[in-house]
Amino acid sequence: FIVVDTPPIAVSPDAAILDQLADRVLFLVAWQRTKLPAVVTALRQLGPKSDGRVSPVLNFVSPDRLHGSGGLYDSSDLGFAH
């Protein structure tokens, strides 16, 4: 695997450009910092060709602040389809 780290898509076109060449996209979202509208806007900037190739990663998670059954959740809690 080759991993290419880019600046956030909201501040640089690099991610959108490299998305066209990538097999997969890891889409990092800062837990309780990144607002949902910013996530939606960024995903739209990647474009329709990214559908099915984007893997969301929730980072900066504070395990002691998770809610729910035993601190477990699934991606539907974040608005991502399975």
Side-chain angles (χ1 to χ4, degrees):
F1 295 98
I2 297 173
V3 177
V4 178
D5 186 17
T6 66
I9 195 166
V11 298
S12 169
D14 295 358
I17 293 167
L18 291 174
D19 167 56
Q20 298 171 26
L21 305 171
D23 293 324
R24 299 287 300 176
V25 174
L26 293 177
F27 187 83
L28 277 68
V29 177
W31 182 67
Q32 289 195 334
R33 294 183 195 170
T34 308
K35 304 295 184 205
L36 184 58
V39 171
V40 171
T41 299
L43 288 171
R44 286 185 180 146
Q45 285 180 296
L46 287 176
K49 291 185 178 180
S50 297
D51 290 351
R53 296 186 307 110
V54 176
S55 298
V57 177
L58 193 59
N59 64 354
F60 300 115
V61 175
S62 176
D64 58 330
R65 295 181 61 199
L66 287 177
H67 302 287
S69 175
L72 301 176
Y73 61 91
D74 66 16
S75 59
S76 64
D77 295 333
L78 303 172
F80 293 103
H82 290 234

